Amino acid sequence: MSVKRPVSSSLAKAFFYIVLLSLLSTGIALITLASSLRDAEAINIAGSLRMQSYRLGYDLHADPDKLVGHRQRYQQTLNSPVLQHLHHWYIPQDVQQRYGQLHDSWQQMDARLAQHDTQWYQQNIQGYVGNIDLFVLALQHYAERKMILVVIISLLGATGIFLLVFFTLHRIRQHVVKPLRQLMTASQQIQKGHFSYPPLNIHLDNELGLLASTFDRMSGELLKLYRSLEASVEEKTRDLHDAHRRLEVMYQCSQALNTSQLDVHSLRHVLRIVYEHEAASYLELVTDDNWCLQQGKQDPQRPLGSLPVNMQDNVLGELRWQSAQQHASIPLMRSIATILGRGLYINQAQKQYQQLILMEERATIARELHDSLAQMLSYLRIQLTLLKRAVPDENAPAHVIIDDFSRGLNNAYRQLRELLTTFRLSLQQSDLTAALREALDLLQSQTQAKLSLDCRLPTQALDAQQQINVLQIIREAVINAIKHSGASDINVTCVTDPDGAHSIYIRDNGIGMSTTAEPDGHYGLSIMHERAERLNGTLDIVSPSGGGTEVQLRFPHAGQPKRQPM
């Protein structure tokens, strides 16, 4: 039996027609509404012609000097762009006709105004204003007809969509829901061990008909297998007892990773479980970013087994172990390596997710600052410029105050832009080394100095917040060196000390720093110190004997107490 009408194709066609009808009705309605965007402006401009007509009569009688200017303004209003659009083909003939009559009448009126024919103008002004009223009324009727057309199109579209949805649901019920219920009933009967069930509809020309036919054949084969499986249950039970120990280890390892936040303690717990169940006497997990976890004591006399730790064909590290029964432990260790690979992968994904959350929060703050404080500062700068122009040049004290205020305002605006740049700094990946290299590459384009990076920090040992703080401290220190040191070489070194703490050095060969005191209105160093405190570490700025400046950041790994400043 072949599938002639797949369910997916039928549903796709129905949804396609529904979407097509929705887009068609919505598109026509939107086009109609878009053509009405300037209707109010056209009516308003057309209505203003009435007032200008009376004003021309007043100028003709009482103020002839303004007559020429008001005639030109009237001509501009009559030929405004929004009224010129009335010449398009889709504009009703009555609107175009009224507009054309108004043009023709104006030519005659304008000629009489040029001749200062007051008596003729007063006799014909009422008729001309009447033509304006008829033109405004025609515009109003045209706008109303478009609104009625939008309502009719919306109603027709909604009715068509409702009918299509009703027809689709009815067809789904007959060709999908009902056969699925029959299959569910048959499955429940087989689950209970009863291989007799109500007949299935195998004549449908879709996947469910093919599934019902296949299900019938499968149930017959299953009945035969059901009898033979009972004989092999005892044999399989013995095999299951042998695998129980391995399954228990794997279960506990999986439970160790079944936490909301995977970290180094969770992975270390997995190694401890394998070690405590005597599956291995020594375990070592090594990742490709200089990170290593060990459990037990290595015996130089025993061979060391190893397996790659990977996830989705991505090698994340290597699992090494020693065991009295190395060959018997290989299947278990392969499963443990898979579990550890999943744990490392989830840990990286969680870090990236945390980074995205942090970046979203910081982007939100940056947008709020830009939309509020930055806009206000820009407004104040404009107002200050206007004030400076309004103050006479001979008022020197006022200009001095305005200049001081301008410098302070410009300094505040510059600091705000730097703050917005810092807030918009992003960490696109969980690999700290790659993120640092990406940030330094961006800064390299802003300086002639050579920027170099030597990062040997284990990314797995740092959470998302720590990576963000480390990245921003390094970036701020490099920016300071670029701006103020005049250095030709700026080196960034990140290492892990023998005691497990992490150290970062940003060194330049520039002019050095005479003092670490920050000028008024600058907060870069203070922010760097605050970030170091968030890392539970210390930040020092020293002047090496060879010249230049070196920024030293030291912070402990997770669970290590804060180090005292040296």
Side-chain angles (χ1 to χ4, degrees), residues 5-239:
R5 295 183 179 180
V7 175
S8 58
S9 299
S10 300
L11 291 177
K13 289 180 180 179
F15 291 140
F16 173 78
Y17 290 134
I18 292 173
V19 172
L20 180 62
L21 183 57
S22 301
L23 293 176
L24 184 61
S25 59
T26 304
I28 296 175
L30 289 177
I31 292 173
T32 306
L33 287 176
S35 66
S36 303
L37 290 177
R38 305 190 70 181
D39 286 351
E41 181 183 355
I43 294 174
N44 185 36
I45 292 175
S48 69
L49 294 175
R50 184 189 303 109
M51 181 274 292
Q52 294 187 46
S53 298
Y54 287 118
R55 185 175 60 185
L56 290 173
Y58 174 80
D59 293 340
L60 190 62
H61 178 73
D63 197 357
D65 295 335
K66 297 182 179 180
L67 181 60
V68 176
H70 288 168
R71 285 170 53 201
Q72 293 176 355
R73 185 174 302 175
Y74 189 98
Q75 185 69 38
Q76 293 174 357
T77 303
L78 188 60
N79 295 324
S80 60
V82 68
L83 295 182
Q84 291 298 320
H85 289 162
L86 299 178
H87 292 298
H88 291 161
W89 60 269
Y90 53 83
I91 303 298
Q93 289 296 326
D94 58 335
V95 177
Q96 295 187 18
Q97 182 179 0
R98 294 294 182 187
Y99 183 54
Q101 292 175 357
L102 201 60
H103 254 288
D104 296 338
S105 299
W106 165 247
Q107 299 300 326
Q108 186 178 6
M109 297 285 289
D110 187 50
R112 295 289 184 172
L113 288 171
Q115 298 173 7
H116 294 273
D117 194 344
T118 305
Q119 182 179 358
W120 185 92
Y121 190 84
Q122 291 177 352
Q123 292 175 354
N124 292 274
I125 185 61
Q126 294 299 329
Y128 184 75
V129 171
N131 290 335
I132 294 176
D133 293 337
L134 292 176
F135 175 58
V136 172
L137 182 61
L139 289 176
Q140 178 180 346
H141 289 167
Y142 173 51
E144 292 173 353
R145 286 197 297 271
K146 287 195 287 187
M147 292 299 103
I148 294 174
L149 179 60
V150 170
V151 173
I152 293 175
I153 292 172
S154 300
L155 290 177
L156 291 177
T159 302
I161 292 172
F162 175 79
L163 292 176
L164 281 175
V165 170
F166 178 81
F167 175 79
T168 302
L169 292 178
H170 177 73
R171 187 172 180 82
I172 290 175
R173 180 177 180 84
Q174 294 297 323
H175 294 270
V176 178
V177 177
K178 186 176 180 180
L180 281 177
R181 288 179 178 174
Q182 294 176 347
L183 284 170
M184 183 181 65
T185 302
S187 300
Q188 291 173 348
Q189 291 295 324
I190 292 179
Q191 183 181 10
K192 296 177 182 178
H194 305 304
F195 290 86
S196 59
Y197 47 81
L200 302 176
N201 187 358
I202 62 175
H203 302 292
L204 292 174
D205 56 358
N206 56 20
E207 295 93 338
L208 293 176
L210 179 61
L211 181 61
S213 177
T214 306
F215 190 89
D216 274 342
R217 293 195 301 270
M218 182 190 67
S219 62
E221 297 294 332
L222 187 61
L223 179 59
K224 299 177 183 178
L225 293 174
Y226 187 82
R227 301 290 183 255
S228 62
L229 284 176
E230 291 179 347
S232 61
V233 166
E234 293 182 1
E235 180 182 358
K236 296 298 180 182
T237 302
R238 290 191 297 268
D239 295 337

Side-chain angles (χ1 to χ4, degrees), residues 4 18 21 29 34 91 159 165 167 318 328 343 345 363 411 451 462 504:
K4 297 181 180 179
I18 292 173
L21 183 57
I91 303 298
T159 302
V165 170
F167 175 79
E318 186 178 21
Y345 181 82
N411 188 32
L451 305 183
L462 304 180
I504 297 174

Side-chain angles (χ1 to χ4, degrees), residues 362-379:
R362 296 166 67 85
T364 301
I365 296 174
R367 286 194 299 269
E368 294 295 332
L369 288 175
H370 181 271
D371 294 340
S372 59
L373 187 55
Q375 299 294 338
M376 181 56 68
L377 288 177
S378 298
Y379 171 76

